[in-house]
Amino acid sequence: MKKILNLVLIFSLFLSFVYTQTPDSILKEIENKWNSAKDISMKMTMTVYSYSSKGESLPTKMSMEIKAIKNPSILRIDFTEPALLAGQIFLIDAEKQITKMYSPSTKQIIEAPYTVTQTSTISFSSIPMIGSSEDFSLKLEEVTEKNQKLYKITGIPQKPELKANYSYLEFFITKDYIPLRLKVYDVQNRPYIEILWSEVKINSNLSPNTLRTLPQGKIIKQKEPLNMTTPIPFMSPSK
Amino acid sequence: MRKIIIISLSFIILFSLTYAYEWGKMEISTEVNSSYGQDFNISFERWWSDNLGLGSSILYNTLNKEINYHLFIQSPHLKIVSGLFYPSLNLFTNNLRLNGYQLSLYLGNNEIFYLSGKGSKTFEDLPSLTHLEPNIPLKILGWSTTFSNNNYLTLFILSLNKNNTENYMADILFVRKIHLPLGFLLLAQETNLYLKDSNLNFSVLFNGEINIGSLGIRGFIGYLNGNTLSLSSLDEGDLGFKLSLALPLSSKIFPEYSIGYFYNTKDNEHKIDLGIKAQWNVTNNLNVEGLVRYLINLSGKNYIFTKLALNFPALEGAMWNSLYIKHELKEDSENTSLGMKISYQF
C-alpha cells in the first residue's frame, strides 16, 4: 500500500511538473498555434505614447486588419487608422513572388518584386515590437478580466539597452493561447507601446483570390522592391 | 458597317482568349444628358503581362447616332491604338483627345511613337467638351525614354493644321520619380516651343506631386503662350498656378481641396479656380462622392461643374457600381446628366 501511495505521489508530481505552465511555454504554445494554422485573420491596433513637457500623453495610433494564408503564402494588411493611412493595402504574395501596394489617394496599385527580406510570418517567438523573450525576466500569473480567465506574463528587461528604455511589460493571453494585449512601460512607468489584438480567427478558410483582390486602380510595375516602412514613430520613449 | 464588323470581331477575339491572363477590366456605362442625348459605352481590356494586352471600347450617342470605337493592341515591341482615345503623352497635351491612330515601337527602354488624326482639347467627365467633335488635324512624332531607374524623358514634334496653316510644336518633358515609404514624389518640368507664322513661342510648366497613403499634395505652375494651341488645363495665354490637397478628415471621409489663380495675358483676364471633392465611405458597400468646381472669371464668364455620385463597391472594391448626377453651368448654356456605370477589374 505504501509503495502504491509512493508511486501515485511520484506520478502526480511528475504530471504536475509536465503540465506546469511557464511564460516560455505559453509563448511557445502561441507560436505552435500560429505555426499550425492554415490561415489567420485579426484586427490589430498599435499605440505609441509620447509625452509633452507637461507630462500629457500624446498617443499615436495605427490600426489594421491582417489576413494571412500559409499555403499559398499570402499576407494582406488593410490599414484603417490613422486617417492618413486608411484605405492603404499591402499584399505580399510569396507564391507569385510579388508585393502590391494599393494607394487610395492616387488609386494606383504599385506592383514590385518580392524579396526575401519581406517576411510574411506572424511570429511570437519574440515579444512583438520588443525583442527576444530571453532578454526579459518573465513571470506568469492567472488573472480574471470581465469574467474571462487570462494568462498574464510580466516581463522585466535584463539587458542594459532595454533597461534604458523600458521598465516592464504586461502581456495578456487567453486560455486558448490567443494574444489579447501587450503593454510596455517606459522607465518612468508610463505606457509606451500598447498592442491590442481582436477578432482573431484561425482556420476560417480564407480564399487566396479574395486576399489577392484589390480595389480598382491603375497597375504600375516597378523593378525595385516596395518600401514598406510605416511612418509611425516607433522610437525611444520620451524621457 | 465596316466599323461594326471590326469592333464585333475584336470583342469576339477578346472574349474568346481564355488562356491565363494577368488582369483585365470591363466597364459598361450609360449617361443621359439634357443637351447631348444619351451615351452608351462598353469597354473591355485584358493583360497577359506588363506589355502584352488587348482592349476595345464602343461609344454610341443617340443624338448624332454616331458610333465611336477605341481599339488597342500592346505587345513587347509594338503598340497599335486606333479610334477615339486620350494619348496622354505629356503635360501640355494632357487633355488632347484624338480620333485617329497611334503606332509605338519599343526598343529597350525607348519608345518611338507616331500619332495621326484629328484632335481637340477635352476633359473627361465634362459633357460640353466630351461631345465636341475633334477637328484639328495633327501629326505627332516622338521619343520617350527611361534612364537611371526613375528618370523619364519625352521629346516630340507635333505638326498641326489650323486655319489652313501648318504650325509646329517641339516639346521636352523631364520627369523624376522618387519612391517614399507608402508613396512617391513626382517632379516634372516641360518646355514647349510653338512655331506659328515664322514666330517662335515659348511655354513652360513645372509640376510636382507627393502622395503618401491618403495624403496627396499636387500642384503646377506654368505659362502657356497666347499663340500656342491649348491642349491642357492652361488656356492660351494663361500664366498661373494650381494647388490641390487631399487630406482625410477621418478614416471614412476623404476630401480634396484645390485652388488656382491664372492671369490670362491674351485677354487680360484674372481667373480663380476653386474646387472641392469629397468621398465618404459610409459602409463597405456604400460610398458617397461629391464634387464642385467653380471657375471665377473676374470679367464675368463664370463656370460651375457639380457632381454627386452614389457608389456601391463590391468584391473588395474590385467592382464599382455607380449612379450619378452632373450639372454644368456656363455663361451661355447649362446641361444636366444622369448616369450609371458598372466597372469590374479582375
Side-chain angles (χ1 to χ4, degrees):
Chain A
M1 187 65 188
K2 204 178 165 185
K3 269 187 179 177
I4 293 167
L5 277 173
N6 281 342
L7 274 172
V8 169
L9 195 67
I10 289 164
F11 188 67
S12 57
L13 270 171
F14 175 76
L15 274 180
S16 67
F17 177 75
V18 167
Y19 286 101
T20 298
Q21 297 279 27
T22 63
D24 286 323
S25 73
I26 301 280
L27 292 174
K28 193 72 194 162
E29 288 286 355
I30 306 173
E31 183 75 5
N32 290 342
K33 189 158 191 153
W34 248 231
N35 286 342
S36 61
K38 287 179 186 167
D39 62 64
I40 301 169
S41 65
M42 66 176 92
K43 288 185 176 174
M44 194 163 97
T45 300
M46 287 188 272
T47 311
V48 176
Y49 295 88
S50 55
Y51 295 90
S52 68
S53 54
K54 290 177 185 172
E56 294 160 329
S57 117
L58 306 164
T60 308
K61 199 172 175 183
M62 182 189 272
S63 300
M64 63 199 84
E65 284 180 40
I66 300 172
K67 289 173 185 159
I69 300 178
K70 190 179 277 177
N71 192 16
S73 180
I74 303 171
L75 173 74
R76 173 178 169 140
I77 303 172
D78 290 53
F79 286 92
T80 50
E81 270 185 292
L84 281 182
L85 292 179
Q88 190 98 18
I89 301 170
F90 281 146
L91 182 79
I92 299 175
D93 192 333
E95 188 190 44
K96 293 189 174 179
Q97 295 284 299
I98 50 168
T99 52
K100 289 184 180 183
M101 182 174 76
Y102 170 76
S103 182
S105 69
T106 54
K107 303 253 187 298
Q108 286 181 350
I109 298 166
I110 298 172
E111 195 179 303
Y114 169 84
T115 58
V116 283
T117 52
Q118 291 167 330
T119 174
S120 62
T121 310
I122 303 170
S123 173
F124 277 89
S125 55
S126 57
I127 298 166
M129 308 302 302
I130 301 300
S132 170
S133 59
E134 290 162 6
D135 300 335
F136 290 83
S137 150
L138 299 174
K139 189 183 88 182
L140 176 70
E141 58 189 302
E142 283 188 29
V143 293
T144 305
E145 229 178 52
K146 293 174 188 168
N147 294 325
Q148 190 186 10
K149 285 193 172 178
L150 304 172
Y151 292 118
K152 178 186 173 187
I153 296 173
T154 308
I156 296 168
Q158 299 298 299
K159 279 188 167 180
E161 60 266 34
L162 291 173
K163 280 182 182 174
N165 288 326
Y166 318 121
S167 57
Y168 67 102
L169 63 87
E170 292 170 337
F171 193 12
F172 293 82
I173 302 134
T174 65
K175 283 284 188 173
D176 51 352
Y177 309 111
I178 301 286
L180 272 186
R181 189 169 76 245
L182 171 76
K183 207 161 180 178
V184 184
Y185 295 84
D186 68 10
V187 285
Q188 293 178 43
N189 293 336
R190 299 174 303 187
Y192 167 46
I193 298 172
E194 187 177 28
I195 305 177
L196 301 172
W197 291 267
S198 63
E199 296 178 36
V200 179
K201 290 174 194 159
I202 293 174
N203 295 338
S204 54
N205 280 330
L206 293 178
S207 145
N209 281 345
T210 309
L211 263 65
R212 284 173 173 148
T213 305
L214 297 178
Q216 286 189 19
K218 189 181 175 189
I219 296 170
I220 294 173
K221 298 200 176 187
Q222 69 178 44
K223 286 176 186 167
E224 53 197 86
L226 282 177
N227 186 346
M228 290 191 172
T229 317
T230 47
I232 198 163
F234 285 121
M235 296 178 187
S236 300
S238 51
K239 298 283 189 289
Chain B
M1 188 63 191
R2 218 178 72 181
K3 265 186 188 177
I4 294 170
I5 292 169
I6 292 170
I7 293 158
S8 309
L9 207 62
S10 68
F11 268 89
I12 290 165
I13 291 167
L14 282 171
F15 281 108
S16 64
L17 293 171
T18 50
Y19 56 91
Y21 56 86
E22 199 173 43
W23 69 279
K25 192 174 180 182
M26 195 166 77
E27 205 167 281
I28 300 167
S29 66
T30 183
E31 182 177 309
V32 60
N33 186 281
S34 56
S35 305
Y36 305 101
Q38 189 167 7
D39 292 321
F40 295 94
N41 186 30
I42 177 164
S43 66
F44 192 87
E45 63 184 285
R46 263 187 178 186
W47 291 88
W48 287 267
S49 74
D50 196 17
N51 49 20
L52 187 64
L54 278 172
S56 179
S57 67
I58 311 171
L59 176 72
Y60 174 69
N61 181 267
T62 55
L63 193 69
N64 56 23
K65 302 208 182 308
E66 257 193 25
I67 294 178
N68 279 299
Y69 74 99
H70 169 213
L71 285 171
F72 77 84
I73 301 168
Q74 171 84 60
S75 73
H77 298 292
L78 187 70
K79 179 167 82 175
I80 302 169
V81 190
S82 175
L84 194 66
F85 65 104
Y86 291 83
S88 296
L89 299 168
N90 58 17
L91 300 171
F92 274 121
T93 60
N94 210 22
N95 296 98
L96 166 67
R97 192 168 65 150
L98 192 75
N99 195 358
Y101 67 89
Q102 175 179 352
L103 289 173
S104 282
L105 193 66
Y106 298 92
L107 299 165
N109 287 332
N110 302 283
E111 179 190 354
I112 295 158
F113 51 88
Y114 177 74
L115 296 93
S116 178
K118 287 186 175 177
S120 65
K121 172 180 167 172
T122 189
F123 291 87
E124 245 174 309
D125 232 20
L126 302 184
S128 63
L129 290 169
T130 50
H131 290 91
L132 281 180
E133 185 67 28
N135 58 0
I136 307 164
L138 52 85
K139 290 179 175 61
I140 298 171
L141 178 66
W143 169 57
S144 192
T145 188
T146 309
F147 58 95
S148 56
N149 288 332
N150 294 309
N151 296 311
Y152 309 89
L153 181 75
T154 300
L155 305 171
F156 84 40
I157 295 167
L158 180 149
S159 79
L160 64 92
N161 192 303
K162 208 178 177 194
N163 304 326
N164 293 323
T165 57
E166 200 74 16
N167 303 318
Y168 297 93
M169 183 187 279
D171 192 282
I172 304 170
L173 168 70
F174 176 72
V175 180
R176 182 166 167 72
K177 189 175 181 181
I178 299 159
H179 296 285
L180 301 171
L182 308 183
F184 62 86
L185 170 71
L186 199 77
L187 298 168
Q189 55 193 83
E190 187 167 349
T191 309
N192 185 290
L193 290 170
Y194 189 65
L195 183 67
K196 185 184 177 186
D197 303 330
S198 305
N199 291 319
L200 215 49
N201 303 289
F202 175 80
S203 304
V204 66
L205 193 64
F206 296 95
N207 186 77
E209 62 180 270
I210 183 165
N211 293 288
I212 298 171
S214 303
L215 171 76
I217 304 168
R218 297 164 204 125
F220 71 81
I221 183 164
Y223 167 65
L224 182 70
N225 193 289
N227 293 320
T228 304
L229 177 75
S230 168
L231 296 168
S232 68
S233 53
L234 284 170
D235 286 330
E236 284 139 10
D238 269 0
L239 167 68
F241 70 92
K242 190 168 179 180
L243 279 173
S244 72
L245 170 71
L247 184 67
L249 280 180
S250 73
S251 56
K252 302 265 180 197
I253 302 171
F254 302 90
E256 183 173 350
Y257 317 90
S258 67
I259 185 166
Y261 166 77
F262 300 96
Y263 170 65
N264 192 283
T265 53
K266 196 175 171 185
D267 300 326
N268 203 19
E269 285 176 349
H270 298 270
K271 294 183 288 186
I272 297 164
D273 188 347
L274 300 171
I276 183 161
K277 188 164 86 176
Q279 281 211 32
W280 177 26
N281 293 332
V282 185
T283 67
N284 282 345
N285 302 105
L286 177 64
N287 167 286
V288 181
E289 194 180 353
L291 182 156
V292 180
R293 189 179 170 218
Y294 191 17
L295 193 65
I296 306 163
N297 190 319
L298 297 184
S299 62
K301 293 178 278 181
N302 296 341
Y303 170 83
I304 304 173
F305 175 66
T306 50
K307 182 179 177 181
L308 181 69
L310 290 178
N311 305 311
F312 307 94
L315 305 170
E316 306 276 322
M319 184 176 232
W320 197 259
N321 310 297
S322 184
L323 290 172
Y324 61 84
I325 182 165
K326 294 194 288 198
H327 183 250
E328 233 185 330
L329 177 65
K330 289 179 169 184
E331 55 164 335
D332 52 356
S333 65
E334 68 177 304
N335 68 79
T336 307
S337 304
L338 272 174
M340 187 193 80
K341 192 182 207 177
I342 299 167
S343 63
Y344 176 42
Q345 190 163 316
F346 50 93

